[in-house]
Amino acid sequence: MELLNKKFPGVYCKKQGKYKNIYTLNMVKGQKVYGERHYKEGPNQFREWAPERSKLGAAMMKGISQTGIQEDSLILYLGSASGTTVSHLSDICTKGTIFAVDLAPRVMRDFYFMMEKRLNIVPFLASANHVEEYAEIPQVDVLFQDIAQRDQVRIFFKNYDKFLKPGGFGLLSLKARSIDVTKKPGVIFKQVMDELNQRTTVVDYRKLEPYEKDHAFFVVKKRV
Amino acid sequence: MAFEKLREKCLNKLRKDLKDSVNDDNLIINAVNAIDDLEKTGNMLVTRLREWYALYNPEFEKWMTNQEKFSDLILRKDKKTLLEEIHAKYSIGADLSREDLEPIMILAEQARDNYAIINDMKKYMEFKMRKHCPNLLEVVGVMLSGKLLAKAGSLKRLSQYPASTIQVLGAEKALFRHIRTGARPPRHGMLVQHPLVAQAKQKDHGKRARTLADKIAIAVKVDYFKGEFIGKKLKKALEDKFEVKY
């Protein structure tokens, strides 16, 4: 087991023949969040990170250059859903805290059982569009957004302005089909890229094929 | 760990919020989904039952087309009476012994119970909807109102839909094909299950679905804001317009 990249602490990889799998060190031993495989090496237990289930995992597999996620990061995660990706972030950020926001009670229920033993997660049952509902959180190092909404870029900037530290990273997972089904995804990615570039600096950009269809992953850095 | 206090506070709030988040919508939607599943399994069971029972009494199996009555009748009456009832002179089915007949009857009991459960659930849904959305119930009936609610997710969201959206709920594939490629738009989605649309001539389908969707949109809005009962009026307006009874 070796680190995937020096820039990503806590993300391990292992080559198995032609294929490469990524793993994180399981914080709660024995816990399976979404039926993922466990891998044991010495005293450590690793959880396989399925890129087809998690867009951040997919971005890592596609070789994204930086995410800004460190062991002691404060992360604001919008659209946490059942907590698939959040559970891996919680493995990585052992000294940090993840503030997870989601609107739907149904998925929050799954999330609740996942996070009971993970002490670095703070949940909010709120809409990412209503920033005042979780206004008590501090300024964060990383803002992650994965919500399939038509105005997801606007919501991203709303949170970006309010919660992200200068020099912090913003990660935006974009679903082209929820912005406009009639346009080609490539056209929408370009539009969003321009929109992001007007306000901030886009550091990296990946399409998430073949793990997700018509999705793109943007990494932006807030100017100091 | 940092933010321990905040976490505890948020967790308590989350527990409370999750507890309060369960409402009549969730209950009705689960019931309608359960009925859907039960109907599917029920049909599967009766199909298997027919196949099996036809070895013994193929004449009656051929004659009785109603799935629900079929399982009920073969349990209550024996082969001889059934054959007399359908005026069959002789049977080409095998004479099965009691041991061979028993498993067939067990399966029939299961199928009959299945239909009984469906009826109970429908009663429960109607009881719930009388309070939750009486107008919608009056205009479109139990099953279709449940399906509309399930599609929208909640009464609130359904009440926010325009009539044009309600008209094509359940025909998303055709609708998006229309938007993307300019193919012909769908005339109706699940509203085709409503007798007013289903019994219309092919060329009237679109017209009736459109009017029906209008009335549904009004009914749902009144329901959501707990207005007075206008279901009868809406239903009458529909019946008068098309000069039919449903």
Side-chain angles (χ1 to χ4, degrees):
Chain A
M1 198 68 71
E2 58 199 51
L3 277 179
L4 178 67
N5 185 327
K6 270 185 224 150
K7 285 179 183 165
F8 305 146
V11 185
Y12 302 89
C13 90
K14 190 168 171 58
K15 284 208 176 94
Q16 279 169 340
K18 228 163 102 182
Y19 300 101
K20 184 174 74 177
N21 288 330
I22 51 177
Y23 297 86
T24 56
L25 187 60
N26 199 352
M27 183 193 232
V28 184
K29 267 203 182 149
Q31 188 194 39
K32 282 192 179 183
V33 177
Y34 54 100
E36 72 279 24
R37 264 179 296 186
H38 283 168
Y39 182 82
K40 235 180 135 184
E41 197 178 83
N44 300 325
Q45 187 181 50
F46 292 90
R47 292 168 55 226
E48 191 176 321
W49 193 347
E52 56 278 354
R53 300 285 298 269
S54 159
K55 275 152 218 159
L56 183 59
M60 298 244 179
M61 287 296 257
K62 293 282 284 188
I64 204 146
S65 61
Q66 50 188 338
T67 58
I69 298 167
Q70 302 294 327
E71 279 175 348
D72 55 353
S73 293
L74 299 182
I75 302 176
L76 173 57
Y77 194 109
L78 305 173
S80 54
S82 309
T84 309
T85 309
V86 176
S87 69
H88 286 290
L89 285 178
S90 141
D91 283 347
I92 296 168
C93 305
T94 43
K95 291 172 208 149
T97 305
I98 299 142
F99 304 95
V101 179
D102 204 292
L103 178 63
R106 174 66 189 83
V107 288
M108 229 355 152
R109 213 165 68 206
D110 295 341
F111 189 87
Y112 172 78
F113 292 115
M114 184 276 289
M115 61 152 291
E116 269 182 321
K117 283 181 187 159
R118 295 174 177 269
L119 300 176
N120 54 356
I121 301 176
V122 181
F124 291 90
L125 187 68
S127 162
N129 203 3
H130 298 156
V131 284
E132 65 282 352
E133 283 181 37
Y134 48 96
E136 62 239 82
I137 69 168
Q139 295 282 297
V140 296
D141 304 307
V142 179
L143 167 67
F144 188 107
Q145 178 176 307
D146 177 15
I147 53 175
Q149 286 292 321
R150 180 157 245 232
D151 53 352
Q152 48 190 304
V153 179
R154 194 182 58 77
I155 296 173
F156 180 73
F157 274 122
K158 213 168 169 178
N159 286 279
Y160 175 92
D161 291 338
K162 195 161 162 73
F163 296 116
L164 193 60
K165 270 181 203 164
F169 283 86
L171 313 175
L172 174 64
S173 153
L174 192 88
K175 183 180 174 185
R177 289 296 180 207
S178 61
I179 291 186
D180 195 339
V181 278
T182 59
K183 283 187 190 139
K184 281 191 177 157
V187 179
I188 291 169
F189 295 154
K190 202 150 180 275
Q191 267 175 19
V192 173
M193 184 72 108
D194 292 342
E195 223 172 306
L196 290 172
N197 265 327
Q198 277 172 17
R199 297 277 309 272
T200 133
T201 326
V202 177
V203 192
D204 203 352
Y205 150 76
R206 286 282 188 281
K207 280 183 192 161
L208 296 186
E209 307 267 333
Y211 304 111
E212 298 275 349
K213 217 174 148 194
D214 305 330
H215 279 67
F217 198 87
F218 296 87
V219 182
V220 305
K221 194 168 184 190
K222 195 169 187 176
R223 288 175 198 140
V224 182
Chain B
M1 207 153 294
F3 304 109
E4 220 165 78
K5 266 192 183 151
L6 181 63
R7 183 178 191 270
E8 206 43 51
K9 191 184 139 200
C10 289
L11 212 54
N12 282 333
K13 185 164 177 294
L14 180 70
R15 285 189 187 114
K16 198 176 154 292
D17 283 352
L18 285 180
K19 207 174 181 131
D20 295 344
S21 71
V22 178
N23 52 20
D24 282 357
D25 283 328
N26 301 117
L27 297 172
I28 291 173
I29 289 169
N30 270 313
V32 74
N33 288 340
I35 292 178
D36 255 9
D37 290 349
L38 283 168
E39 266 171 2
K40 254 181 228 156
T41 43
N43 272 330
M44 232 156 73
L45 283 179
V46 178
T47 314
R48 170 67 50 220
L49 176 68
R50 275 171 175 276
E51 192 66 37
W52 201 345
Y53 185 76
L55 300 174
Y56 174 61
N57 186 355
E59 287 77 16
F60 181 70
E61 191 270 332
K62 199 93 195 156
W63 183 79
M64 178 47 105
T65 46
N66 188 318
Q67 303 275 66
E68 195 176 340
K69 278 187 195 156
F70 177 77
S71 48
D72 187 42
L73 278 175
I74 63 165
L75 276 168
R76 281 200 285 121
K77 297 176 181 173
D78 64 355
K79 185 175 175 181
K80 217 173 141 193
T81 354
L82 288 173
L83 284 175
E84 272 168 21
E85 267 177 32
I86 59 169
H87 309 298
K89 287 200 186 74
Y90 51 85
S91 171
I92 53 167
D95 295 318
L96 294 183
S97 64
R98 258 179 78 162
E99 297 92 77
D100 287 335
L101 213 51
E102 208 161 304
I104 303 179
M105 290 307 158
I106 293 174
L107 190 63
E109 263 172 41
Q110 182 73 44
R112 189 178 61 180
D113 289 353
N114 208 56
Y115 283 110
I117 295 172
I118 291 178
N119 288 332
D120 284 354
M121 291 224 176
K122 278 187 183 162
K123 267 183 213 142
Y124 165 75
M125 270 177 63
E126 196 171 342
F127 162 74
K128 271 276 173 208
M129 283 182 182
R130 280 256 171 269
K131 278 189 226 151
H132 190 56
C133 49
N135 292 310
L136 180 65
L137 178 65
E138 186 67 35
V139 178
V140 295
V142 183
M143 276 316 284
L144 192 51
S145 1
K147 281 180 188 167
L148 285 169
L149 279 177
K151 194 85 203 174
S154 69
L155 187 62
K156 185 184 174 193
R157 286 184 60 179
L158 188 59
S159 72
Q160 287 168 345
Y161 285 161
S164 53
T165 303
I166 294 174
Q167 189 188 339
V168 293
L169 272 186
E172 282 79 9
K173 197 174 164 193
L175 176 68
F176 286 113
R177 186 174 57 218
H178 162 63
I179 296 174
R180 244 202 308 266
T181 68
R184 292 183 59 184
R187 285 175 300 219
H188 44 64
M190 58 172 69
L191 288 194
V192 76
Q193 293 166 19
H194 192 275
L196 187 72
V197 183
Q199 287 162 13
K201 279 185 207 140
Q202 193 70 29
K203 75 174 178 43
D204 288 340
H205 271 202
K207 194 181 283 178
R208 290 196 175 183
R210 184 158 17 97
T211 322
L212 179 60
D214 280 352
K215 299 300 177 211
I216 293 174
I218 296 170
V220 174
K221 284 176 179 75
V222 175
D223 281 334
Y224 179 62
F225 294 105
K226 299 290 171 229
E228 61 202 36
F229 182 68
I230 56 162
K232 284 246 154 58
K233 226 163 81 187
L234 293 173
K235 194 172 168 181
K236 190 159 181 307
L238 276 172
E239 286 176 345
D240 288 351
K241 177 157 186 184
F242 297 113
E243 294 167 348
V244 286
K245 276 248 179 276
Y246 69 84

Coordinates of all heavy atoms in Angstrom, one line a residue, chain B residues 115-162:
Chain B
Y115 N -54.5 -10.5 -2.5 CA -55.5 -9.6 -3.0 C -56.2 -8.9 -1.8 O -56.6 -7.8 -1.8 CB -56.5 -10.2 -3.9 CG -55.9 -10.4 -5.3 CD1 -55.6 -11.7 -5.8 CD2 -55.6 -9.3 -6.1 CE1 -55.0 -11.8 -7.0 CE2 -55.1 -9.5 -7.3 CZ -54.8 -10.7 -7.8 OH -54.2 -10.9 -9.0
A116 N -56.4 -9.7 -0.7 CA -57.0 -9.2 0.5 C -56.2 -8.0 1.1 O -56.7 -7.0 1.5 CB -57.3 -10.3 1.5
I117 N -54.9 -8.2 1.1 CA -54.0 -7.2 1.6 C -54.1 -5.9 0.8 O -54.1 -4.8 1.3 CB -52.5 -7.7 1.7 CG1 -52.4 -8.9 2.6 CG2 -51.6 -6.6 2.1 CD1 -51.1 -9.6 2.6
I118 N -54.1 -6.1 -0.5 CA -54.2 -5.0 -1.4 C -55.5 -4.2 -1.1 O -55.4 -2.9 -0.9 CB -54.2 -5.4 -2.9 CG1 -52.9 -6.0 -3.3 CG2 -54.6 -4.2 -3.8 CD1 -52.8 -6.5 -4.7
N119 N -56.6 -4.9 -0.9 CA -57.8 -4.2 -0.6 C -57.8 -3.4 0.7 O -58.2 -2.3 0.9 CB -59.0 -5.1 -0.6 CG -59.3 -5.6 -2.0 OD1 -59.1 -4.8 -3.0 ND2 -59.8 -6.8 -2.2
D120 N -57.1 -4.1 1.7 CA -57.0 -3.4 3.0 C -56.1 -2.1 2.9 O -56.5 -1.1 3.4 CB -56.2 -4.3 4.0 CG -57.2 -5.4 4.5 OD1 -58.4 -5.3 4.2 OD2 -56.7 -6.3 5.2
M121 N -55.1 -2.2 2.1 CA -54.2 -1.1 1.9 C -54.9 0.0 1.2 O -54.7 1.2 1.5 CB -52.9 -1.5 1.2 CG -52.1 -2.4 1.9 SD -50.4 -1.9 1.8 CE -49.6 -3.1 2.8
K122 N -55.7 -0.3 0.3 CA -56.4 0.7 -0.5 C -57.4 1.5 0.5 O -57.5 2.7 0.4 CB -57.2 0.1 -1.6 CG -56.4 -0.1 -2.8 CD -57.2 -0.5 -4.0 CE -56.3 -0.8 -5.2 NZ -56.9 -1.6 -6.2
K123 N -58.0 0.7 1.4 CA -58.9 1.3 2.4 C -58.1 2.3 3.3 O -58.6 3.4 3.5 CB -59.6 0.2 3.2 CG -60.9 -0.2 2.7 CD -61.6 -1.2 3.6 CE -62.4 -2.2 2.7 NZ -62.3 -3.6 3.2
Y124 N -57.0 1.8 3.7 CA -56.1 2.6 4.5 C -55.7 3.9 3.8 O -55.8 5.0 4.4 CB -54.9 1.8 4.9 CG -53.8 2.7 5.5 CD1 -53.8 3.2 6.8 CD2 -52.6 3.0 4.7 CE1 -52.8 4.0 7.3 CE2 -51.6 3.8 5.2 CZ -51.7 4.3 6.5 OH -50.7 5.1 7.0
M125 N -55.4 3.8 2.5 CA -55.0 5.0 1.8 C -56.1 5.9 1.6 O -56.0 7.2 1.8 CB -54.5 4.6 0.4 CG -53.0 4.3 0.4 SD -52.5 3.8 -1.2 CE -52.9 5.1 -2.2
E126 N -57.3 5.4 1.4 CA -58.5 6.3 1.2 C -58.7 7.0 2.5 O -59.0 8.2 2.5 CB -59.7 5.5 0.8 CG -60.8 6.3 0.3 CD -61.9 5.5 -0.4 OE1 -61.6 4.3 -0.7 OE2 -63.0 6.0 -0.5
F127 N -58.6 6.3 3.6 CA -58.8 6.9 4.9 C -57.8 8.0 5.2 O -58.2 9.1 5.6 CB -58.7 5.8 6.0 CG -58.5 6.3 7.4 CD1 -59.5 6.9 8.1 CD2 -57.2 6.2 8.0 CE1 -59.3 7.4 9.4 CE2 -57.0 6.7 9.3 CZ -58.0 7.3 10.0
K128 N -56.6 7.8 4.8 CA -55.5 8.8 5.0 C -55.8 10.0 4.1 O -55.6 11.2 4.5 CB -54.2 8.2 4.6 CG -53.5 7.5 5.8 CD -52.7 8.6 6.6 CE -52.2 8.1 7.8 NZ -52.0 9.1 8.9
M129 N -56.2 9.7 2.9 CA -56.3 10.8 1.9 C -57.6 11.7 2.2 O -57.6 12.8 1.8 CB -56.4 10.2 0.5 CG -55.0 9.8 0.0 SD -55.2 9.2 -1.7 CE -53.5 8.8 -2.0
R130 N -58.6 11.1 2.8 CA -59.7 11.9 3.1 C -59.3 13.1 3.9 O -59.9 14.2 3.8 CB -60.7 11.1 4.0 CG -61.6 10.1 3.2 CD -63.0 10.6 3.0 NE -63.7 9.7 2.1 CZ -63.7 9.9 0.8 NH1 -63.2 11.0 0.3 NH2 -64.3 9.1 0.0
K131 N -58.3 12.9 4.8 CA -57.9 14.0 5.6 C -56.8 14.8 4.9 O -56.8 16.1 4.9 CB -57.3 13.5 6.9 CG -58.3 13.2 7.9 CD -57.6 12.9 9.2 CE -58.2 11.7 9.9 NZ -57.3 10.9 10.7
H132 N -55.9 14.1 4.2 CA -54.7 14.7 3.7 C -55.0 15.5 2.4 O -54.5 16.6 2.2 CB -53.6 13.7 3.5 CG -52.3 14.2 3.2 ND1 -51.7 15.1 4.0 CD2 -51.4 14.0 2.1 CE1 -50.5 15.4 3.5 NE2 -50.3 14.8 2.4
C133 N -55.7 14.9 1.4 CA -55.9 15.6 0.2 C -57.3 15.2 -0.4 O -57.4 14.4 -1.4 CB -54.8 15.2 -0.8 SG -54.4 13.5 -1.0
P134 N -58.3 15.6 0.3 CA -59.7 15.2 -0.1 C -60.1 15.6 -1.6 O -60.7 14.8 -2.2 CB -60.6 15.9 0.9 CG -59.8 17.0 1.4 CD -58.4 16.5 1.4
N135 N -59.6 16.7 -2.0 CA -60.0 17.2 -3.3 C -59.4 16.3 -4.4 O -60.1 15.9 -5.4 CB -59.7 18.6 -3.5 CG -60.5 19.5 -2.7 OD1 -61.7 19.4 -2.6 ND2 -59.8 20.4 -1.9
L136 N -58.1 16.1 -4.2 CA -57.4 15.2 -5.2 C -58.0 13.8 -5.3 O -58.3 13.3 -6.3 CB -55.9 15.1 -4.8 CG -55.0 14.3 -5.7 CD1 -54.9 14.9 -7.0 CD2 -53.6 14.1 -5.1
L137 N -58.3 13.3 -4.1 CA -59.0 12.0 -4.0 C -60.3 12.0 -4.8 O -60.6 11.0 -5.5 CB -59.2 11.6 -2.6 CG -59.9 10.3 -2.3 CD1 -59.0 9.2 -2.7 CD2 -60.2 10.1 -0.8
E138 N -61.1 13.0 -4.6 CA -62.4 13.1 -5.3 C -62.2 13.1 -6.8 O -62.9 12.4 -7.5 CB -63.1 14.3 -4.8 CG -64.6 14.4 -5.3 CD -65.5 13.3 -4.7 OE1 -65.2 12.9 -3.6 OE2 -66.4 12.9 -5.5
V139 N -61.2 13.9 -7.3 CA -61.1 14.0 -8.7 C -60.5 12.8 -9.4 O -61.0 12.4 -10.5 CB -60.3 15.3 -9.0 CG1 -60.1 15.5 -10.5 CG2 -61.0 16.5 -8.5
V140 N -59.4 12.2 -8.9 CA -58.8 11.2 -9.6 C -58.8 9.8 -9.0 O -58.4 8.8 -9.6 CB -57.3 11.5 -9.9 CG1 -57.2 12.7 -10.8 CG2 -56.5 11.7 -8.6
G141 N -59.4 9.6 -7.8 CA -59.4 8.3 -7.2 C -58.2 7.9 -6.4 O -57.2 8.6 -6.4
V142 N -58.3 6.8 -5.7 CA -57.3 6.4 -4.7 C -55.9 6.2 -5.3 O -54.9 6.8 -5.0 CB -57.7 5.2 -3.9 CG1 -56.6 4.9 -2.9 CG2 -59.0 5.4 -3.3
M143 N -55.9 5.2 -6.3 CA -54.6 4.7 -6.8 C -53.8 5.8 -7.5 O -52.7 6.0 -7.3 CB -54.8 3.5 -7.7 CG -54.9 2.2 -7.0 SD -53.7 2.0 -5.7 CE -52.2 1.7 -6.6
L144 N -54.6 6.5 -8.4 CA -53.9 7.5 -9.2 C -53.4 8.7 -8.3 O -52.3 9.2 -8.5 CB -54.8 8.0 -10.3 CG -54.2 8.8 -11.4 CD1 -52.9 8.2 -11.9 CD2 -55.2 9.1 -12.5
S145 N -54.2 9.1 -7.3 CA -53.7 10.2 -6.5 C -52.4 9.7 -5.7 O -51.5 10.5 -5.6 CB -54.7 10.7 -5.4 OG -55.9 10.0 -5.5
G146 N -52.4 8.5 -5.3 CA -51.2 8.0 -4.6 C -50.0 8.0 -5.6 O -48.9 8.4 -5.2
K147 N -50.3 7.6 -6.8 CA -49.1 7.5 -7.8 C -48.6 8.9 -8.1 O -47.4 9.1 -8.2 CB -49.6 6.8 -9.0 CG -49.6 5.3 -8.8 CD -50.0 4.6 -10.1 CE -50.2 3.1 -9.8 NZ -50.9 2.4 -10.9
L148 N -49.6 9.9 -8.2 CA -49.1 11.3 -8.5 C -48.3 11.8 -7.3 O -47.2 12.4 -7.5 CB -50.4 12.2 -8.6 CG -51.1 12.1 -10.0 CD1 -52.4 12.8 -9.9 CD2 -50.2 12.6 -11.1
L149 N -48.7 11.5 -6.1 CA -48.0 11.9 -4.9 C -46.6 11.3 -4.9 O -45.6 11.9 -4.6 CB -48.7 11.5 -3.6 CG -49.8 12.5 -3.2 CD1 -50.5 11.9 -1.9 CD2 -49.3 13.9 -2.9
A150 N -46.6 10.0 -5.2 CA -45.3 9.3 -5.2 C -44.3 9.9 -6.2 O -43.1 10.0 -6.0 CB -45.5 7.8 -5.4
K151 N -44.9 10.2 -7.4 CA -44.0 10.8 -8.4 C -43.5 12.1 -8.0 O -42.3 12.4 -8.2 CB -44.9 10.9 -9.7 CG -44.0 11.1 -11.0 CD -43.6 9.8 -11.5 CE -42.4 10.0 -12.4 NZ -41.8 8.8 -12.8
A152 N -44.3 12.9 -7.4 CA -43.9 14.3 -7.1 C -43.0 14.3 -5.8 O -42.2 15.1 -5.6 CB -45.1 15.2 -6.9
G153 N -43.3 13.3 -4.9 CA -42.5 13.2 -3.7 C -43.3 13.7 -2.5 O -43.1 13.2 -1.4
S154 N -44.1 14.7 -2.7 CA -44.9 15.2 -1.5 C -46.0 16.1 -2.1 O -46.0 16.5 -3.2 CB -44.1 16.0 -0.6 OG -43.7 17.2 -1.2
L155 N -47.0 16.3 -1.2 CA -48.1 17.1 -1.6 C -47.7 18.6 -1.9 O -48.2 19.2 -2.9 CB -49.2 17.2 -0.5 CG -50.5 17.8 -0.8 CD1 -51.2 17.1 -2.0 CD2 -51.4 17.9 0.4
K156 N -46.7 19.0 -1.2 CA -46.2 20.4 -1.4 C -45.6 20.5 -2.8 O -46.0 21.4 -3.5 CB -45.1 20.7 -0.4 CG -44.6 22.1 -0.4 CD -43.5 22.3 0.5 CE -43.0 23.7 0.3 NZ -41.7 23.9 1.0
R157 N -44.8 19.5 -3.2 CA -44.2 19.6 -4.5 C -45.2 19.5 -5.6 O -45.1 20.1 -6.6 CB -43.1 18.6 -4.6 CG -41.9 19.1 -3.8 CD -40.7 18.2 -4.0 NE -40.2 18.1 -5.4 CZ -39.2 17.3 -5.7 NH1 -38.5 16.7 -4.8 NH2 -38.8 17.3 -6.9
L158 N -46.2 18.6 -5.4 CA -47.2 18.4 -6.4 C -48.0 19.7 -6.6 O -48.4 20.0 -7.7 CB -48.1 17.2 -6.0 CG -49.1 16.8 -7.0 CD1 -48.4 16.3 -8.3 CD2 -50.0 15.6 -6.5
S159 N -48.2 20.4 -5.4 CA -49.0 21.6 -5.5 C -48.3 22.7 -6.2 O -48.9 23.7 -6.7 CB -49.4 22.0 -4.1 OG -48.3 22.6 -3.4
Q160 N -46.9 22.6 -6.3 CA -46.2 23.6 -6.9 C -46.0 23.4 -8.4 O -45.5 24.2 -9.2 CB -44.8 23.7 -6.3 CG -44.8 24.4 -5.0 CD -43.5 24.3 -4.2 OE1 -42.7 23.4 -4.6 NE2 -43.3 25.0 -3.2
Y161 N -46.4 22.2 -8.9 CA -46.3 21.9 -10.3 C -47.4 22.6 -11.1 O -48.6 22.7 -10.6 CB -46.5 20.4 -10.6 CG -45.3 19.6 -10.2 CD1 -45.5 18.2 -10.0 CD2 -44.0 20.1 -10.1 CE1 -44.4 17.4 -9.7 CE2 -43.0 19.3 -9.7 CZ -43.1 18.0 -9.6 OH -42.1 17.2 -9.2
P162 N -47.1 23.1 -12.3 CA -48.1 23.7 -13.2 C -48.9 22.5 -13.8 O -48.4 21.4 -13.8 CB -47.4 24.4 -14.2 CG -46.0 23.8 -14.2 CD -45.8 23.3 -12.8

